Amino acid sequence: MKKALVLSSVLLLSGLLGGCTGSAKESPSGSAASGSTAASGTPSSPAEADAASAASVGIDPANPPKAIAEGTCLSSEDSVVSTRAELVTFEKRGKALLAVFRLTSPEKTSLLSACSWSPTLLDLTNLKKYPSASSLTTGYLLDLAANAPTYVYAGFKVPEGTDTVDIALGGRSVTMAGIKVPK
């Protein structure tokens, strides 16, 4: 219940403040920058960055969820640098699906540079794509600390007539395939 309350509060604030948009295994802050920051405007340590982003989506960093799907994003600036992307929660909230991702980059970068952040839900059954809703999606200017997981989220319209979707994070980024749509 507390997780749902924290996440609902974050989504409400993201709607009020605005935001920029941008293979499955068996088994969301609205502003561009979130969490604790040093004078420079960036998280002052990797542990602090993880705790702040995890708290923003209601995840306990001491007990993080297992990945539902994962892949690697190639940097839009340098294809040698790659960021690990993991889908850690995928829930239906009314008429929306909320996906929470854990991203880990080997160097300090922005969400946009790390994976060309522009999440899209792909319904291959009905040949439709659903871009993320800007008010339900982490802003692309968010900083990722080096070697620390950062949690980000994206909200989508619930697709009709399919029980499996793919999620593309954007650009040269990973597409996570075969993800079950929550009921």
Side-chain angles (χ1 to χ4, degrees):
M1 182 67 177
K2 183 176 181 182
K3 178 179 168 183
L5 181 59
V6 169
L7 194 49
S8 296
S9 298
V10 167
L11 293 176
L12 175 62
L13 285 174
S14 69
L16 296 173
L17 298 175
C20 301
T21 61
S23 6
K25 295 179 180 180
E26 291 301 315
S27 28
S29 76
S31 62
S34 66
S36 302
T37 57
S40 66
T42 59
S44 57
S45 73
E48 195 173 291
D50 179 36
S53 69
S56 75
V57 293
I59 290 177
D60 177 3
N63 188 24
K66 293 183 192 248
I68 297 167
E70 57 188 35
T72 302
C73 301
L74 296 177
S75 170
S76 58
E77 297 171 0
D78 180 359
S79 62
V80 174
V81 175
S82 60
T83 297
R84 180 181 172 94
E86 300 169 286
L87 175 65
V88 294
T89 65
F90 193 46
E91 301 173 349
K92 185 175 179 183
R93 300 281 177 97
K95 295 181 180 181
L97 292 175
L98 185 65
V100 175
F101 303 92
R102 178 174 44 231
L103 303 178
T104 307
S105 176
E107 61 185 33
K108 182 182 176 205
T109 187
S110 72
L111 185 54
L112 181 62
S113 294
C115 64
S116 301
W117 185 245
S118 179
T120 304
L121 187 135
L122 306 169
D123 172 1
L124 298 180
T125 302
N126 299 302
L127 300 177
K128 292 183 179 180
K129 66 182 188 176
Y130 300 87
S132 59
S134 63
S135 63
L136 298 176
T137 302
T138 302
Y140 62 81
L141 296 176
L142 178 79
D143 286 332
L144 303 179
N147 299 309
T150 301
Y151 292 89
V152 297
Y153 58 88
F156 307 96
K157 177 182 175 187
V158 176
E160 296 178 12
T162 188
D163 61 355
T164 306
V165 294
D166 296 353
I167 299 176
L169 297 185
R172 295 194 226 161
S173 296
V174 65
T175 297
M176 298 175 184
I179 300 166
K180 295 286 183 193
V181 174
K183 301 288 181 198

